Amino acid sequence: MLAAHVRSIYGLKVLKRKHKTLRKLEKEDRVPTLHGHQVWQSSYLVMDYLHQRPLAIGQRIMDIGCGWGLLGIYCAKYLGGKVQLVDADSRVFPYASFHQQLNEVSVQIVHSSFEQLKHADFTQQDVVLGADICFWPQLFTQLKLLIATALAAGVRKIIIADPGRPTFMQLADYCRHNFTCELCPWELGGRTKTAGYLLIIDNHRGLKPG
Ligand SMILES: C[S@@+](CC[C@H](N)C(=O)[O-])C[C@H]1O[C@@H](n2cnc3c(N)ncnc32)[C@H](O)[C@@H]1O
């Protein structure tokens, strides 16, 4: 039985707006400022994909632009992942920490922007995930560099989900020309009818020549 104002989705406990913890953080004026104020549907697109095509157990996974961290928390809970949650906005961390405890997993929380992440930050990672993180032109520029850095450091797979914003489509186009990747339309069943795209970049074939 779920506690008051908690819902269950993809086997995770997620706070509803009326939950006292959310109301308290809002009252204290600790509302995230870079759109990390809720769980975005793109997170569920990646969870759905991973539910259908699970990663090997125990992968080292970085959830970039994690917001409340539910995507990374899903990976820790259901894929045995060793997870790092990364975000530029430290205001998301109380929300991520609370959900970590609520879902009884342990993840590492890292305060960093995309552009601050360097080669050494990716050498200990197998997979990089991101949900709804490419919504401004400067994020397109930062993510282009991040993807190249992560692949050069040996990250094996990168998955970025998005509803299909122009900046994300631009990133997908860039990746199609520079890396071996696919852009998959993805839809969730159920009442929400959420649809979007998954940009999946695999590193085993590496950079395209030329
Ligand atoms: C639309 S929210 C998505 C949050 C989460 N991935 C989800 O699906 O619920 C975008 C997230 O990216 C973070 N973000 C924005 N710009 C960033 C940057 N330059 N570096 C790292 N994180 C950033 C925001 O703080 C926010 O948590």
Side-chain angles (χ1 to χ4, degrees):
M1 171 107 156
L2 287 170
H5 305 307
V6 176
R7 70 195 155 114
S8 171
I9 181 153
Y10 283 91
L12 294 178
K13 291 177 186 160
V14 184
L15 298 191
K16 293 185 187 171
R17 275 280 150 228
K18 285 189 176 159
H19 193 279
K20 58 179 189 306
T21 299
L22 288 190
R23 292 164 80 112
K24 183 166 174 278
L25 286 166
E26 277 164 16
K27 252 193 210 145
E28 290 167 0
D29 197 22
R30 289 166 68 187
V31 179
T33 52
L34 299 173
H35 295 297
H37 58 281
Q38 62 175 46
V39 188
W40 291 78
Q41 293 291 318
S42 295
S43 280
Y44 299 125
L45 292 179
V46 188
M47 288 181 213
D48 191 65
Y49 174 83
L50 294 175
H51 178 67
Q52 294 185 36
R53 297 178 206 179
L55 301 168
I57 293 289
Q59 297 282 288
R60 299 163 300 177
I61 298 167
M62 189 188 264
D63 175 3
I64 55 169
C66 64
W68 289 13
L70 269 306
L71 175 54
I73 289 168
Y74 174 87
C75 294
K77 194 164 178 82
Y78 293 108
L79 305 173
K82 297 179 183 65
V83 174
Q84 261 190 7
L85 302 179
V86 179
D87 206 287
D89 182 3
S90 61
R91 287 179 170 225
V92 303
F93 297 146
Y95 299 81
S97 292
F98 191 85
H99 280 95
Q100 170 187 217
Q101 284 164 24
L102 188 65
N103 287 286
E104 298 172 88
V105 296
S106 174
V107 295
Q108 191 188 357
I109 293 179
V110 177
H111 187 201
S112 174
S113 69
F114 301 141
E115 56 193 344
Q116 287 169 331
L117 291 171
K118 302 289 179 239
H119 185 97
D121 298 307
F122 293 108
T123 51
Q124 300 303 312
Q125 302 298 332
D126 300 306
V127 178
V128 171
L129 304 176
D132 213 333
I133 53 169
C134 193
F135 46 88
W136 289 325
Q138 65 267 34
L139 294 174
F140 162 63
T141 309
Q142 291 175 24
L143 287 167
K144 269 195 315 189
L145 185 62
L146 182 151
I147 290 167
T149 307
L151 294 176
V155 166
R156 289 200 217 124
K157 191 184 268 295
I158 301 175
I159 305 176
I160 302 178
D162 196 271
R165 303 181 201 287
T167 37
F168 168 81
M169 287 310 199
Q170 207 184 348
L171 181 68
D173 205 38
Y174 171 83
C175 288
R176 270 206 299 254
H177 285 97
N178 290 280
F179 311 112
T180 307
C181 71
E182 37 174 350
L183 182 66
C184 307
W186 204 263
E187 227 174 278
L188 299 183
R191 275 179 303 167
T192 57
K193 295 269 178 274
T194 297
Y197 295 88
L198 299 171
L199 175 63
I200 303 170
I201 306 164
D202 277 303
N203 200 18
H204 58 267
R205 286 155 294 182
L207 286 167
K208 278 185 180 171

